[in-house]
Every structure is written in C-alpha cells, then in structure tokens.
Amino acid sequence: MDEPKCLTVSSDISENGDKDEGSNVQKVGFEIGGYTVLPDVTKTKVEKVKRKLPAWLESPDVVESDIANKQKPLDSVSFISDRIRAQLKHNQITHLFPVQWQVIPEILSSVIPNSLMSKLGLPPRDICCSAPTGSGKTLAFSLPVIQLLETCNTRRLRALVVLPVSDLALQVYKVFQDYSEGTSLKVALTNGQLSLAEEQKMLTTRNDVTEELETAVDILVTTPGRLVDHISFTQGFDLTQLRFLILDEVDKILEEVKHDWLDYLERAVYDKRGWPQPITAASLNSAALPLQKLLFSATLTQNPEKLEKLRLCEPRLFTSVISKEQSMDVDHSDDHFTGKYTTPQGLQEYYIECRVPNKQTPSTPISVTYTKTEESTCVCWISGHSSEVSGDISKKRRTQIIRQFSRSHIDVIITTDLMARGLDVDDVSTVVSYDSPPYIKTYIHRVGRTARAGKPGQAYTILNAKEVSYFRKMIKSSSKSVKARKVGRSELAPYVERCKQILSAKE
Ligand SMILES: Nc1ncnc2c1ncn2[C@@H]1O[C@H](COP(=O)(O)OP(=O)(O)OP(=O)(O)O)[C@@H](O)[C@H]1O
C-alpha cells in the first residue's frame, strides 16, 4: 500500500483574500492509492459575512446610563421654557436625566423658533433613542413637543403619540396633559377605553362658519388599532398638519401590530399635502411642512431591515451602549439582531436555580411579581397581601391595584408580561420572575420595572435546572451578566414559621 502523500497547491492568496504572510502553499488533501482524499469539508471553518451597518447605526450618540451621577440641574440648562421649568419643579423634578438633556435640545433645534418649519428647508432628522428602562424617556419626547407646539395659535392635530397598548397610552397621555396645563393645547387619548363614537365626539368639532367637522385636538395619544379606526371612520379627523410622529416602545409596535397602520397614517398625512420629494435646489426654497419621527424604546431594534419599514429620514441614534467601541462590536450577523441592551445602573440582577423537584412552570398569571420589601418577596406566593393583575382583570381594577401598591396598601403584585413593558409603578423594590423570560427583550423590560429613575432595585429569576442553560446563553448573547444566587436553608429559616402559619390559615 502506498504511503499517504500530502497534496499541496501553490497559492499566495488565502481564502479570505488576504495575502498569506508565512507560506505560499496550502494543504488541500492527500493522495492514497492513486485517489485524492479531500480534507473533512464539514469541519472547514466558514467565515461569517458581517453586515455593514449604515453610518448612523454604527456611530451613534452615546447616552449616559449613569443617571445618579450625570444629571444636570434644571437651572443650568437654557433650552427649557420657564413655564415647563416651573411645572417640572412643581413635580419635584430639579434635574434633567442624561437622555433628557441630550435628546431634548436636539428635537428643539430641528425647528426654526416660533415656527414648525425646519432649518434651511431641509427635512429635520428623525430621532431614534434606545436608553434603559426608567431613564426618563417619556419626558425626553413630551417636553420638547409641548414646548414647540404651545406657541401655535391655531388648533391642528400636530403631534401623534403611538403606543402598543392602552395602559401605556393612558400613562403617557397623563404626562402630556400634566405638562400642557396652563396652555391652550388640547391633548386627547384614544385607546379604546371609550367607545369609538365617544372618542369621535371628543376628537372633532363643527366649524361655526363652514359647518364642517374639523379636528379639535393638538396632541393625540393613541394605539395603532384605534388610530386606523379614526383614519377610516372619523369624519373631520385631519392629519395633514401633522408635524411630529412619536413611537414609544417602537420595537413592540413593529412586532405585534399589523404593520400597515403606518401606511394608513402616511397616506392620511401625505395624500393631500404632497409626498416628500428628493431634496433639490427648488425644494429648499419651498416651505413644505415636514413630518419628523421620534422613536423610543429600551430595546430599540437596530436591525436595518426592520427600521427600513419606518422610512426614516437621515436618522440620528441616541443609545446607551456602554461605549462607542462596544457599539461597533455588536453581533449583527443574524436576522434577530441581539443588541447590547443596558439595564439601569442601580439594578442588581440574580438568577436562582431552584432544586425543588416540583417547581412548576407556571401557567399565567403567576409569572412576574413586583414587591415592596424583601420580606414580602419571600412570602409573596402565599401571602395575603398580594393582588393579581392580569388581562382577566378589568382596566379599572388594574389601575386601582396599582394605586393601592403605590400607596403601600398592598406589598405584592403578581402579574404577567402584561405589566412588563413601559409601566411606571412607584417604588417597586424587587422583581421576581418565576419562569425564564423567553426573549432577552422580555427580560430587560420585566426587570426594568424596578431601579427606575436612578433608584436601586433587585431582580431575581427563578429557574429550574432545565431552564438555567437557556437563560445563561440568552444573557450572554446580549453581553450581559447575571449572577447566580444560592439560597440556603438557613436563609429561609426565618420565613418558614410564617409561611406555615399562612398556609394553615388558608386550609
Ligand atoms: N429628571 C427626572 N427627575 C426625577 N424623576 C424623573 C425625571 N425624569 C423622569 N423621572 C421619573 O422617572 C420615572 C421613569 O420615567 P419614564 O417612565 O419616562 O422611563 P422610561 O425611560 O420611559 O422607561 P421604560 O423604558 O420602562 O418605559 C418616572 O416615574 C418619571 O416621573
């Protein structure tokens, strides 16, 4: 039998196109008995093709995530109007958080003072902002929009704020209402809480002269479904003067809702007033009202294909990835882009491997728990001081329970992912996830119900042995780290007696 011979080919260029420095021969197999045996092709390392991101995604403006140390005193910033400053102080807000002092001036400066037109006739740049949960994004978009619109003399629908679900729409509506107080601005909410007919009545009014119905609000906070209803069925609902389109929790809006709501909206805006045209010398001189998009989320997608659907104009990205270098380093190679999402600095995150053999995977609603104190966390599953908030409970009752929690009348809210995103509940000290969140985004939003506004908080995810490796992989893929926490019998001992008492009382 012939000795195997190594087969080589001459080459001075390697597979990836780089020049081979050391050698100009490559091993490609060997010959045996007159046959050429190729190397094991299944083991050949295939170079991943890296996606080239657009420049605006590759070089974002970095938003400081250290809220506690990077606030700016309200009196040191000149871009906030005196009226809004007074209102902020009235609400005990004396400093601006980083996302606010970075994004607010950018929005304000895109407009010629006392006009809604943009500078030099160029369309204003759309804004995308990805900052941690509880970092104050709501004020970052509501304050500049109110400040710019309050100087308008006529009532036109000029700002539309779209949120994925009605509870969030209500929360953001309250902020717009609060900071518009004392102005002639009319803010409305259409989130399905009222009937369509009632909402229609609130949205429009009959003009005394023309006797036609016309829009009677300046700022509308809504959900995509209700928006499409009003575009389709509400006489006099006019979007042709829209100047700002704000999408909060934008990744959720893109994920869950029928995407064509944006087509409806853009047709309602542009069919009459004219679609945006390429910029030419002539267009610079014409005074077309621009529509500027402002996008916010703690987990803003940076997948260019998804963002493309939003037809953004020269966007500018504000993001809280830890440093510019790290933002370059993100893995963009799969379709489900996993970004480096930052959680609040005051948040301590742990997972606990539960070795009890019968830890059940809960059927909702027992999935996420928000608690007031450490003690209540330990007894929450059986304590009498908890309330459930789920989709089965009416909106009115949900609001009542949240209010009771904020006033410390109850210590524990046991809830589902319904309450995991965007909701701002006062003084949640701890979030307990009783199961592994299915996606990193779900995790970020769940734990983000605590450690808000620069305060401390802790999050525990309780996993059974099978869930641990998936959870750890998911956390690692987003370049985060969550510490393992062991709970020994001695730690639980003080609670055992109390739990027994509660259980026997329940029997
Ligand atoms: N400058 C500030 N000073 C003190 N508190 C503030 C300030 N800005 C916002 N807050 C408070 O911080 C809390 C969180 O703000 P907000 O709900 O806007 O966070 P968010 O970034 O939108 O969070 P999420 O991503 O979870 O929706 C709110 O209770 C808000 O009133």
Side-chain angles (χ1 to χ4, degrees):
M1 185 140 171
D2 294 343
E3 276 293 296
K5 281 183 284 182
C6 198
L7 187 74
T8 58
V9 289
S10 177
S11 163
D12 58 357
I13 304 286
S14 72
E15 243 179 279
N16 62 11
D18 297 333
K19 243 182 180 316
D20 257 351
E21 289 290 322
S23 145
N24 65 349
V25 286
Q26 266 188 299
K27 292 181 181 176
V28 294
F30 57 86
E31 280 186 358
I32 184 164
Y35 292 92
T36 303
V37 179
L38 294 173
D40 188 352
V41 285
T42 56
K43 286 189 181 156
T44 310
K45 197 178 170 213
V46 180
E47 286 279 319
K48 271 193 177 176
V49 177
K50 288 224 166 170
R51 193 201 296 262
K52 177 86 184 95
L53 285 181
W56 69 276
L57 280 176
E58 244 179 24
S59 341
D61 290 69
V62 176
V63 175
E64 291 282 355
S65 49
D66 182 2
I67 295 182
N69 295 308
K70 300 285 179 182
Q71 306 185 7
K72 278 198 178 173
L74 209 46
D75 289 327
S76 73
V77 299
S78 57
F79 49 81
I80 293 280
S81 73
D82 290 344
R83 189 193 65 77
I84 290 184
R85 194 189 310 274
Q87 187 62 12
L88 284 165
K89 286 185 179 169
H90 179 256
N91 292 342
Q92 271 92 49
I93 291 183
T94 53
H95 289 68
L96 290 184
F97 288 167
V99 72
Q100 295 160 354
W101 57 255
Q102 286 179 270
V103 172
I104 294 173
E106 178 62 24
I107 299 174
L108 291 173
S109 68
S110 64
V111 170
I112 300 175
N114 297 319
S115 122
L116 292 179
M117 305 310 282
S118 50
K119 291 179 180 161
L120 303 170
L122 290 167
R125 295 180 70 175
D126 291 333
I127 305 280
C128 298
C129 176
S130 182
T133 49
S135 61
K137 295 184 287 296
T138 314
L139 289 181
F141 59 75
S142 53
L143 296 186
V145 166
I146 293 169
Q147 187 166 316
L148 289 168
L149 295 190
E150 69 177 291
T151 55
C152 296
N153 298 323
T154 48
R155 176 146 295 153
R156 299 277 185 274
L157 180 48
R158 301 183 207 265
L160 192 61
V161 191
V162 185
L163 291 112
V165 291
S166 66
D167 294 33
L168 281 185
L170 174 64
Q171 183 176 292
V172 170
Y173 163 74
K174 284 182 182 163
V175 174
F176 269 93
Q177 232 194 0
D178 186 11
Y179 287 92
S180 300
E181 215 179 281
T183 72
S184 59
L185 290 175
K186 188 162 171 209
V187 184
L189 169 72
T190 57
N191 64 344
Q193 226 168 340
L194 300 176
S195 70
L196 187 64
E198 284 169 314
E199 285 184 1
Q200 287 173 324
K201 217 167 151 196
M202 177 183 66
L203 280 183
T204 55
T205 179
R206 199 164 291 282
N207 184 303
D208 291 341
V209 182
T210 62
E211 297 202 344
E212 304 252 321
L213 280 172
E214 57 186 29
T215 310
V217 300
D218 302 276
I219 299 170
L220 177 62
V221 185
T222 189
T223 53
R226 269 301 198 213
L227 174 65
V228 172
D229 287 343
H230 287 295
I231 292 173
S232 309
F233 306 117
T234 304
Q235 234 192 328
F237 183 63
D238 179 18
L239 285 156
T240 57
Q241 298 302 310
L242 198 65
R243 174 63 176 77
F244 296 103
L245 172 62
I246 301 146
L247 306 181
D248 194 10
E249 307 292 349
V250 59
D251 50 317
K252 187 72 179 167
I253 298 181
L254 289 180
E255 258 170 36
E256 286 207 349
V257 179
K258 285 193 294 174
H259 296 320
D260 60 356
W261 70 270
L262 188 60
D263 297 331
Y264 270 88
L265 173 66
E266 289 197 321
R267 280 201 301 269
V269 173
Y270 293 127
D271 272 354
K272 271 196 198 154
R273 96 181 189 199
W275 286 79
Q277 297 297 320
I279 299 164
T280 61
S283 75
L284 292 180
N285 293 322
S286 69
L289 181 68
L291 172 62
Q292 187 176 19
K293 291 173 185 151
L294 313 176
L295 275 49
F296 288 79
S297 176
T299 51
L300 181 81
T301 176
Q302 291 178 29
N303 182 335
E305 271 122 53
K306 282 195 176 168
L307 289 167
E308 211 174 271
K309 292 185 189 130
L310 293 165
R311 295 181 277 276
L312 299 175
C313 170
E314 293 291 320
R316 182 158 177 196
L317 173 65
F318 291 83
T319 178
S320 56
V321 285
I322 289 142
S323 72
K324 283 202 177 190
E325 290 69 39
Q326 279 177 312
S327 79
M328 309 289 179
D329 179 41
V330 169
D331 178 11
H332 306 293
S333 53
D334 64 11
D335 269 352
H336 305 284
F337 171 90
T338 45
K340 293 193 173 191
Y341 304 123
T342 37
T343 37
Q345 291 224 330
L347 179 67
Q348 291 181 307
E349 299 163 82
Y350 305 96
Y351 73 86
I352 300 174
E353 186 177 339
C354 176
R355 292 174 193 275
V356 179
N358 58 352
K359 181 210 167 212
Q360 289 152 357
T361 304
S363 58
T364 51
I366 302 171
S367 181
V368 194
T369 309
Y370 305 129
T371 64
K372 278 254 164 206
T373 62
E374 201 180 325
E375 199 201 8
S376 57
T377 308
C378 293
V379 291
C380 66
W381 307 110
I382 45 177
S383 115
H385 302 289
S386 61
S387 280
E388 170 195 330
V389 174
S390 72
D392 296 339
I393 290 179
S394 71
K395 270 184 207 153
K396 201 171 156 202
R397 179 75 189 122
R398 294 207 293 257
T399 315
Q400 265 176 0
I401 292 172
I402 292 168
R403 200 175 306 130
Q404 284 176 331
F405 182 86
S406 298
R407 292 179 183 166
S408 295
H409 296 162
I410 54 170
D411 288 344
V412 180
I413 293 178
I414 298 177
T415 186
T416 62
D417 279 326
L418 175 84
M419 274 188 68
R421 204 182 247 264
L423 281 186
D424 187 52
V425 181
D426 282 343
D427 297 332
V428 176
S429 77
T430 309
V431 173
V432 181
S433 286
Y434 193 65
D435 60 355
S436 177
Y439 308 108
I440 185 68
K441 285 187 181 188
T442 320
Y443 176 79
I444 299 279
H445 289 284
R446 273 188 193 179
V447 300
R449 295 316 97 205
T450 184
R452 298 177 69 75
K455 293 179 193 156
Q458 43 194 342
Y460 295 94
T461 303
I462 303 176
L463 305 166
N464 62 30
K466 279 190 222 146
E467 291 168 328
V468 170
S469 75
Y470 174 77
F471 178 78
R472 288 176 50 156
K473 217 167 132 190
M474 180 179 78
I475 294 294
K476 203 171 159 212
S477 74
S478 67
S479 307
K480 283 184 55 57
S481 84
V482 174
K483 287 185 214 146
R485 168 95 150 78
K486 287 205 167 69
V487 182
R489 276 177 194 277
S490 59
E491 243 181 296
L492 291 177
Y495 303 106
V496 171
E497 210 38 55
R498 170 119 182 247
C499 290
K500 278 185 185 163
Q501 277 167 13
I502 294 168
L503 278 175
S504 62
K506 282 190 179 229
E507 272 165 11

